[in-house]
Amino acid sequence: AQTVTQSQPEMSVQEAETVTLSCTYDTSESDYYLFWYKQPPSRQMILVIRQEAYKQQNATENRFSVNFQKAAKSFSLKISDSQLGDAAMYFCAYRRGNFGNEKLTFGTGTRLTIIP
Amino acid sequence: DADVTQTPRNRITKTGKRIMLECSQTKGHDRMYWYRQDPGLGLRLIYYSFDVKDINKGEISDGYSVSRQAQAKFSLSLESAIPNQTALYFCATSDHNEKLFFGSGTQLSVL
């Protein structure tokens, strides 16, 4: 079974600084997708960024980017120019790539605090 | 209006009671999911359904049942609630793409 590990239960960063959240995963598959979800205090789950395993280029969405290391099975999230609204729980998630396997496996989450 | 609607938003119940959490969606997706979130454990899959006639157990289905009444409706039942089922429950949908769309969650407390 696939597993997703987030080894940092909590992180904090000064406003306007950069922070990196770590995620590792275990799989024997070659085709899969990886995601970062944000859960603010409103508890809504918001997709931040996604990465296809077959793409070598790291995904970027505005201030959010990933460092995808397929051989190391590592998928970290970098948040640049941190803002107060970035404070949330962040979950890393994995999904197998073949059709009919859209269910996600989540990590345990990292709580990010932004220091004004 | 929300694309994925969960009711109720919050619920307090007693041990042994039967309770149903409801989920409806307007996205027209075939695939629907129920996840449970516990502090320190992340989200874990309870049940999922790829169409009205297809129901599958997830990793933590014991103590739960589901019903897919229509493409748009997927309900989760606890036949006899117990305190360790206290958690935040999420319904989600997806199409053939890989993105999940989540409801806003139901916080369930079992006393």
Side-chain angles (χ1 to χ4, degrees):
Chain A
Q2 291 77 24
T3 58
V4 178
T5 302
Q6 293 179 250
S7 59
Q8 306 154 315
E10 296 183 350
M11 292 281 286
S12 61
V13 63
Q14 205 81 28
E15 191 176 3
E17 297 296 311
T18 295
V19 64
T20 298
L21 309 184
S22 301
C23 174
T24 59
Y25 58 95
D26 184 28
T27 184
S28 58
E29 305 287 333
S30 59
D31 182 21
Y32 52 88
Y33 298 86
L34 296 164
F35 306 83
W36 279 99
Y37 278 85
K38 170 185 177 181
Q39 186 182 43
S42 67
R43 77 190 195 199
Q44 184 70 39
M45 294 290 287
I46 302 166
L47 178 64
V48 175
I49 202 165
R50 59 186 274 274
Q51 174 82 41
E52 296 97 330
Y54 61 85
K55 289 188 177 179
Q56 293 187 349
Q57 186 173 6
N58 290 323
T60 298
E61 289 287 342
N62 300 315
R63 297 182 295 107
F64 298 87
S65 61
V66 299
N67 183 6
F68 174 48
Q69 301 290 328
K70 191 172 184 179
K73 297 180 182 175
S74 171
F75 182 60
S76 59
L77 175 69
K78 185 172 81 171
I79 306 174
S80 304
D81 184 25
S82 298
Q83 301 175 1
L84 295 178
D86 296 333
M89 282 289 290
Y90 285 82
F91 293 98
C92 179
Y94 165 98
R95 199 212 91 175
R96 289 168 62 182
N98 49 315
F99 181 77
N101 277 288
E102 290 85 354
K103 54 188 185 294
L104 298 187
T105 299
F106 286 85
T108 53
T110 296
R111 181 174 301 282
L112 178 64
T113 300
I114 310 297
I115 304 167
Chain B
D1 290 338
D3 295 319
V4 183
T5 302
Q6 289 185 236
T7 55
R9 180 167 173 80
N10 298 286
R11 179 73 183 266
I12 300 173
T13 192
K14 293 183 178 180
T15 298
K17 293 292 188 181
R18 183 179 188 277
I19 185 167
M20 179 181 289
L21 309 182
E22 303 202 33
C23 176
S24 63
Q25 51 118 344
T26 58
K27 300 194 74 67
H29 290 166
D30 290 326
R31 291 151 165 76
M32 298 188 74
Y33 311 80
W34 275 104
Y35 282 90
R36 165 180 173 159
Q37 182 181 357
D38 298 275
L41 295 179
L43 281 78
R44 294 177 293 167
L45 184 62
I46 307 172
Y47 270 96
Y48 61 102
S49 169
F50 284 173
D51 65 41
V52 175
K53 297 181 180 180
D54 177 77
I55 302 289
N56 303 280
K57 292 182 177 180
E59 57 182 308
I60 53 163
S61 59
D62 287 349
Y64 301 95
S65 62
V66 291
S67 173
R68 185 81 185 265
Q69 301 96 322
Q71 185 203 38
K73 296 183 182 294
F74 191 38
S75 58
L76 176 71
S77 293
L78 288 69
E79 295 301 325
S80 180
I82 56 177
N84 75 2
Q85 291 177 312
T86 292
L88 179 58
Y89 290 84
F90 281 103
C91 175
T93 73
S94 70
D95 56 14
H96 295 264
N97 199 346
E98 69 280 0
K99 183 177 177 180
L100 284 187
F101 296 84
F102 286 86
S104 7
T106 294
Q107 179 62 55
L108 175 66
S109 297
V110 183
L111 303 180

